[in-house]
Amino acid sequence: MARLPQLLDHRGMPVRRAELREEISAPTTRGVRSPLSAYPSDGLNPERLGAILREADQGDPIRYMELAEIIEERDPHYLGVLGTRKRSVTQLPITVKEGGEDQLDLDIAEELRSWLGREELTSELFDILDAIGKGYSHTEIIWDYSSGQYWPAKLKNRKQAWFRFDRVDLETPVMLDENGQECPYPAYKFIFAQMKSKTGLPLRSGLARVATWNWLFKAYTQRDWTIFTQTYGQPLRLGKFGSGASEKDKNTLLRAVTNIGGDLAAIIPESMMIEFIEASNVGASTEHYERRSDWLDKQISKAVLGQTATTDAVTGGLGSGKEHRQVQEDIETADATQLAAILNRDLIIPWVNLNYGPRPKYPTIKLSRPEEEDLKNLAEALGPFIDRGLQVSAETIYAKFGIPAPRQGAQILHPTGQNAAPAASAPPGNPAAAPESEFEYRLNTLPGQSGVVAAEQSEEASEALISPQAKMADVLAEMMQAPMQSMMDQIEEMVAASGSLGELRESLLAGFPELDADRLIEVLAEGMAAAELGGRAALEVESA
């Protein structure tokens, strides 16, 4: 039996096939991979936040990752813009490019396309893109080998706190074993996604690094705003007592004004008085807190989406609308390119190697938004070139506009007042029988006429016989319609420009030599020639 070749991943680690069939980083109730998280945000202040970030910089990211997750839960704006950025990538179409042109390469690519059609893939890609916020993410590949071939059954997201980075370079990811010891994770078992928002170590390259400070300042602002609303936002309650009031009376009055603030109900002796003094600058003071919160939200929008137009109701002016959308599309393209490269490296190449061995070239996936083409401009640009003889296949036009080609026998739409357009310039199978003029062509292709084209149309047309004179009259009427309409347009312009019948008469007399009647003369000449030839043919038939 042939020995399977030893496979190595992109790090040079050997692949152990027995480990691929096991779930090696599942959460446990005991040990270092606990699904429960602490809450480092409670009582957070600048000093504690600085300590948490320094711990992460030194290779201990547990509290930093827990804080990043809590911020997503407690800041709706950050959650919204971060979710928008991730979902814009997960909704992009995924295409597969074959690694080669032989049949095996085509089969591998088709197998990959089948797997990419899984409904769970959108959710799995969303979890992988957690790296946008936290800087990196780990996803375990659950391989299925029940059919004799390796198949990625599931892609399970694993918490960043269950992994570390090599203490020497702080860039090489390692995992924690059951005893909490750092060790390299197995080859072909994990998708390690690093999505940098800035150059630097993975632990310092995520958007959460910015979001933590922004959220802390925003939390202070909202707390002050709440205190102001509860205290200074209420009117001042001033109790007054007479000079002869006893200490008991004073205590009674104090309890009364205090209870009014919470219970909004109190009783006092008749001799006492409570006065409510409204604050005149409450509105202006509360606006200060609101503006600061909005400003902080805008900074997060800029950090995550690169602009604010899609998250804040700000329109008009420079840098709005289309320009902001272009910025967001640039970020989307960059995220999609990074994600595709990560999947090709950590999933596609391992999958092909496990089933088919190393290949000269591997299939690749690409996430991209289809480029929108201005079909109206395309149609307007192609028209003149086609009229001048440019050959464009109908299949190309159907594909551009997303219209299926008509099936045999389907009803075909035509412009109002026009007959069906010819399928070819000459009857099929008889190029030498091509008509010499448009008049003859239209006459030959009318229902009831002999010839291949007429025979095909007669199957769908009425069987009623039409006299040659009637056919000729119909053809002449249709061919004269365009030149007559051109002449009528010129006459209508003269009528519109004339202020009286006298002016119209002078315009007609002056403009008559300029009327374009060349096409009309050509049609009449063709009609007279056809009539003469038809008469000669009729005489020959009668004489025979």
Side-chain angles (χ1 to χ4, degrees), residues 413-421 442 474-475 477-482:
L413 301 179
H414 303 288
T416 305
Q418 296 186 16
N419 293 331
R442 298 195 182 196
D474 291 340
V475 173
E478 180 180 355
M479 296 182 63
M480 292 178 62
Q481 182 177 2

Side-chain angles (χ1 to χ4, degrees), residues 45 129 277 307 387 411:
N45 54 42
L129 289 173
I277 302 177
Q307 43 79 32
D387 293 341
Q411 183 179 3

Side-chain angles (χ1 to χ4, degrees), residues 171-450:
E171 289 185 343
T172 304
V174 296
M175 65 177 296
L176 299 179
D177 61 15
E178 291 292 341
N179 301 319
Q181 299 297 316
E182 298 177 2
C183 60
Y185 52 68
Y188 289 4
K189 190 57 179 171
F190 288 92
I191 298 174
F192 173 64
Q194 184 179 358
M195 310 283 285
K196 288 187 175 183
S197 299
K198 58 177 286 292
T199 302
L201 296 175
L203 285 165
R204 304 186 64 171
S205 62
L207 289 170
R209 194 84 178 192
V210 178
T212 52
W213 288 107
N214 195 88
W215 178 76
L216 177 64
F217 299 147
K218 184 177 176 181
Y220 275 120
T221 300
Q222 292 178 337
R223 186 192 64 178
D224 295 342
W225 192 358
T226 303
I227 294 174
F228 179 87
T229 302
Q230 292 179 345
T231 304
Y232 299 100
Q234 299 292 336
L236 175 62
R237 301 168 306 276
L238 181 61
K240 298 182 179 180
F241 55 86
S243 58
S246 63
E247 197 65 29
K248 181 180 178 180
D249 295 336
K250 296 177 183 179
N251 292 334
T252 301
L253 181 60
L254 180 60
R255 287 195 303 271
V257 296
T258 302
N259 291 338
I260 288 176
D263 299 338
L264 296 180
I267 59 174
I268 59 174
E270 187 177 359
S271 60
M272 297 179 183
M273 179 181 67
I274 297 178
E275 182 179 357
F276 294 88
I277 302 177
E278 298 285 349
S280 59
N281 62 342
V282 171
S285 300
T286 56
E287 183 181 357
H288 169 75
Y289 296 106
E290 183 177 4
R291 290 176 59 185
R292 178 167 174 79
S293 292
D294 290 343
W295 182 85
L296 291 170
D297 283 343
K298 290 179 181 179
Q299 307 316 303
I300 285 294
S301 297
K302 294 175 184 177
V304 178
L305 299 177
Q307 43 79 32
T308 61
T310 56
T311 57
D312 302 284
V314 179
T315 58
L318 297 176
S320 298
K322 184 178 180 180
E323 291 78 6
H324 282 193
R325 176 56 187 160
Q326 290 176 347
V327 173
Q328 187 176 2
E329 289 179 353
D330 290 342
I331 295 176
E332 175 187 281
T333 302
D335 290 342
T337 302
Q338 289 187 73
L339 179 60
I342 292 167
L343 294 176
N344 288 325
R345 182 196 67 198
D346 291 348
L347 179 64
I348 306 304
I349 292 178
W351 186 3
V352 174
N353 284 343
L354 288 172
N355 292 324
Y356 304 99
R359 303 285 299 167
K361 288 187 177 181
Y362 294 87
T364 56
I365 64 173
K366 181 179 180 182
L367 293 87
S368 61
R369 187 179 300 276
E371 295 185 3
E372 296 182 1
E373 189 171 2
D374 194 335
L375 298 179
K376 180 180 179 182
N377 288 341
L378 176 64
E380 293 176 352
L382 283 179
F385 289 105
I386 294 176
D387 293 341
R388 288 166 174 78
L390 177 67
Q391 296 182 355
V392 180
S393 66
E395 290 80 4
T396 301
I397 301 300
Y398 286 133
K400 287 285 185 183
F401 286 83
I403 302 174
R407 64 181 184 275
Q408 183 70 25
Q411 183 179 3
I412 308 300
L413 301 179
H414 303 288
T416 305
Q418 296 186 16
N419 293 331
S425 60
N430 188 14
E436 298 180 354
S437 67
E438 182 181 0
F439 181 86
E440 289 179 308
Y441 180 84
R442 298 195 182 196
L443 185 63
N444 290 336
T445 55
L446 284 173
Q449 188 67 18
S450 60

Side-chain angles (χ1 to χ4, degrees), residues 24-25 115 121 123-131 136-143 154-160 162-163 185-186 188-194 339 342-343 346-347:
I24 63 175
S25 62
W115 182 83
L121 184 61
S123 177
E124 292 169 347
L125 294 181
F126 183 86
D127 291 338
I128 294 174
L129 289 173
D130 189 46
Y136 60 92
S137 67
H138 296 275
T139 303
E140 183 176 356
I141 306 173
I142 309 300
W143 295 101
K154 296 179 182 179
L155 304 179
K156 287 196 173 184
N157 176 258
R158 301 308 189 192
K159 298 180 64 173
Q160 289 90 338
W162 301 347
F163 298 82
Y185 52 68
Y188 289 4
K189 190 57 179 171
F190 288 92
I191 298 174
F192 173 64
Q194 184 179 358
L339 179 60
I342 292 167
L343 294 176
D346 291 348
L347 179 64

